[in-house]
Amino acid sequence: MIDGRPQRIMLPVNVGFMALTTLLALLFNLLPWRDMSGLPDMLALVITFWCTHQPRKIGIGAAWILGLVMDAANGALLGQHAFAYSVLAFSAAQLSRRILWFGIWRQALHVVLLLLATQLLMLAVGMAAGGTFPGYGWFAASGIAALLWPVITFMLLLPQRRPEVVDVDRPL
Amino acid sequence: MEHQPPPFFNRGPAPLVRLMFFVVLALFLMVLDARFHYAEPLRAGLALLAYPIQRVALAPVQLASGVVDFFSSQVRLQRENEALREKQLRLARDLLTFEALAAENAHLRQLIGARERTPRKVTLAEILYAGRDPFSRKVIIDKGGRDEIEPGLPVVDDIGVIGQVTRVYPLLSEVTLITDKDHAIPVQVVRNGLRAVVYGAGDGTTLELGFMATNADILNGDELVTSGIDGIYPAGIPVARVARIERDAAYSFAKISCVPAAGPGRHTQVLVIGRDAKLPPAPEVRQARRTPAKGRRGRRRE
């Protein structure tokens, strides 16, 4: 977050906002997409975001339950997303202090690796359960999701950026 | 006495312990689901939980299509109307002969003492969305156990077979497409009546005609329809067309690729065809299993 640049002191996060954004990400994933190739897993991205920024407010358990809902809604093997998401939440929380130290694009580099690892876990589970190989294009989804990382960071930190006391006389 | 940290610093079990707990729980669930099918009540509960979210997610899409429908030009509607009228005229002629033929058929069947074919119950359903699981080919339709949908029922559109209901929730059900790797349909070649079984190839677009001898009488462009001997699919519904045949003397079976006749990409409305009421009940319900044809296919691949 810093890179020699001054760091802004933020407001504490609102847990309701965290829950709302996670729900919205789940909603995005449940939209009726016709073509799934290269579609970013928005829920995984938001879980990564909150686990790096607020590792004490959201945990592995929440990620696990969200994964289970994803599995049930998509008719996937029950536990496939739950397994991958809980590992993702753990790694993101463990790496949070390291990741936040970097600038936004280098953070995205970390994120693409985390998401790729999640996809690899899902692939391992899916193939072990007798699934079809979805093709290499499926992995592009992680890259696209990582490109969205700066957008997500800007949007999800907006409520914490607003000033606590609104001064009408302030020029900015 | 062991030193306890003050409650201020107490954050519960270590992250690694928590991770292990949830990973083991997930693995346990996966085994339970894939091998023993004990997780269905949990799945049904979760699906019911996700249902309102799905409905909300579908709302903007349905609204958009509604707006598009509203503003669709009169010219297009007129053209569509003309095409439909033309088609109806064409079909009406066929229908006249069909009724005569059906009566004749029933009479002949009575004469030879064969079982009369009964019309099956048909439910109109709409495809809500395609499952996001990249390892299987499934779509979710908007009719479920409340509308008497059962696992195993065939799903067709106006062209041919789309798939089979594999899982039923109260309000939704899950349809495995014929292109799914684990899906098999008994078919018959229209040209010569040869019976065979078609499997999904797993790449999402093609089917494979399995276990046909290298010298089997199958040509490019042959139409495959359901044979009806399974008692699940009604006979004579188009399934696929043979697209490519590789006859290699090194293998005992020919590799025959087919292109499905119908597909979920065309329309959102599908028909779920009910069971044939006159058939005796199947000895064991196996349609709900995830991997019905896996063992045989696994051996063949080796």
Side-chain angles (χ1 to χ4, degrees):
Chain A
M1 191 164 288
I2 49 175
D3 237 354
R5 287 190 299 274
Q7 192 178 6
R8 182 164 184 166
I9 297 175
M10 305 236 189
L11 295 183
V13 69
N14 183 353
V15 178
F17 180 69
M18 286 173 69
L20 179 74
T21 50
T22 316
L23 204 67
L24 283 178
L26 180 63
L27 207 65
F28 175 88
N29 274 7
L30 294 183
L31 280 177
W33 301 102
R34 281 274 159 174
D35 188 14
M36 236 76 63
S37 54
L39 187 75
D41 189 346
M42 206 49 100
L43 185 58
L45 189 65
V46 170
I47 287 176
T48 316
F49 179 85
W50 287 124
C51 282
T52 42
H53 282 81
Q54 305 290 338
R56 295 186 44 196
K57 294 260 167 43
I58 176 171
I60 301 163
W64 191 81
I65 288 170
L66 286 168
L68 219 54
V69 172
M70 276 290 287
D71 285 330
N74 289 313
L77 181 64
L78 210 59
Q80 177 183 305
H81 280 83
F83 173 58
Y85 282 179
S86 48
V87 175
L88 173 73
F90 172 77
S91 339
Q94 290 295 300
L95 290 173
S96 70
R97 293 192 180 280
R98 177 190 161 86
I99 291 175
L100 292 183
W101 191 253
F102 289 99
I104 196 81
W105 285 109
R106 291 184 192 177
Q107 287 181 19
L109 268 181
H110 284 84
V111 169
V112 73
L113 287 182
L114 283 176
L115 293 179
L116 272 179
T118 311
Q119 281 196 310
L120 276 177
L121 275 180
M122 256 189 253
L123 184 73
V125 169
M127 298 302 274
T132 334
F133 183 66
Y136 293 103
W138 182 56
F139 289 106
S142 285
I144 294 169
L147 286 180
L148 290 174
W149 178 256
V151 185
I152 285 281
T153 305
F154 177 75
M155 287 192 335
L156 296 192
L157 287 183
L158 265 184
Q160 297 179 55
R161 284 223 178 89
R162 90 202 122 94
E164 192 161 13
V165 185
V166 179
D167 186 359
V168 285
D169 299 326
R170 223 177 108 182
L172 272 177
Chain B
M1 191 183 121
E2 203 186 332
H3 178 72
Q4 286 282 332
F8 182 71
F9 295 112
N10 198 352
R11 289 198 220 159
L16 198 62
V17 175
R18 261 186 279 181
L19 175 72
M20 281 303 132
F21 172 74
F22 283 113
V23 162
V24 167
L25 207 58
L27 289 176
F28 177 69
L29 261 183
M30 281 190 267
V31 171
L32 216 60
D33 190 29
R35 289 278 159 256
F36 305 108
H37 311 283
Y38 285 152
E40 293 305 317
L42 174 65
R43 183 187 283 278
L46 281 168
L48 208 61
L49 192 78
Y51 183 72
I53 309 176
Q54 281 168 346
R55 274 286 159 192
V56 172
L58 286 171
V61 179
Q62 280 167 349
L63 186 75
S65 75
V67 168
V68 168
D69 280 354
F70 186 78
F71 288 110
S72 69
S73 65
Q74 202 189 354
V75 178
R76 217 197 66 196
L77 283 178
Q78 268 174 351
R79 205 178 302 145
E80 199 179 308
N81 231 338
E82 256 166 47
L84 284 175
R85 199 169 295 142
E86 200 179 310
K87 192 175 171 189
Q88 201 238 341
L89 274 177
R90 213 171 43 233
L91 290 177
R93 198 194 57 209
D94 293 351
L95 197 65
L96 285 177
T97 51
F98 170 77
E99 272 171 12
L101 284 176
E104 190 184 321
N105 194 11
H107 180 64
L108 288 175
R109 274 177 175 275
Q110 254 174 3
L111 282 183
I112 59 170
R115 191 173 55 83
E116 267 183 81
R117 285 189 194 156
T118 46
R120 304 184 182 208
K121 184 174 178 271
V122 168
T123 316
L124 182 71
E126 197 167 337
I127 297 178
L128 292 178
Y129 61 96
R132 210 191 146 96
D133 183 23
F135 309 111
S136 59
R137 311 281 159 187
K138 283 173 185 164
V139 292
I140 313 288
I141 56 172
D142 67 343
K143 292 281 158 60
R146 218 178 43 170
D147 306 283
E148 295 174 19
I149 305 284
E150 295 169 47
L153 296 186
V155 179
V156 302
D157 70 359
D158 57 340
I159 304 169
V161 178
I162 282 184
Q164 195 175 14
V165 176
T166 43
R167 212 172 259 142
V168 177
Y169 305 120
L171 303 169
L172 304 167
S173 31
E174 192 184 289
V175 177
T176 301
L177 302 179
I178 52 173
T179 46
D180 189 273
K181 198 177 123 195
D182 292 329
H183 196 269
I185 304 186
V187 293
Q188 198 166 21
V189 180
V190 175
R191 188 168 52 83
N192 55 10
L194 191 68
R195 288 209 180 91
V197 179
V198 158
Y199 296 96
D203 58 3
T205 50
T206 57
L207 304 168
E208 271 177 34
L209 202 58
F211 311 114
M212 295 307 284
T214 331
N215 60 354
D217 180 17
I218 290 187
L219 300 176
N220 261 336
D222 270 354
E223 299 281 342
L224 305 175
V225 297
T226 50
S227 63
I229 55 169
D230 49 2
I232 293 169
Y233 292 95
I237 302 180
V239 176
R241 194 168 37 76
V242 175
R244 198 162 48 93
I245 307 175
E246 284 173 37
R247 297 183 203 268
D248 191 343
Y251 301 100
S252 45
F253 297 121
K255 186 172 169 14
I256 303 170
S257 305
C258 315
V259 182
R266 294 206 178 86
H267 303 290
T268 50
Q269 274 89 21
V270 293
L271 292 177
V272 184
I273 299 179
R275 273 188 208 289
D276 194 345
K278 284 200 173 173
L279 273 184
E284 188 193 351
V285 178
R286 292 175 74 88
Q287 270 78 40
R289 291 191 56 156
R290 246 184 102 81
T291 54
K294 201 186 155 206
R296 292 172 73 191
R297 286 177 59 74
R299 274 209 299 283
R300 195 176 62 119
R301 283 268 163 91
E302 278 159 17

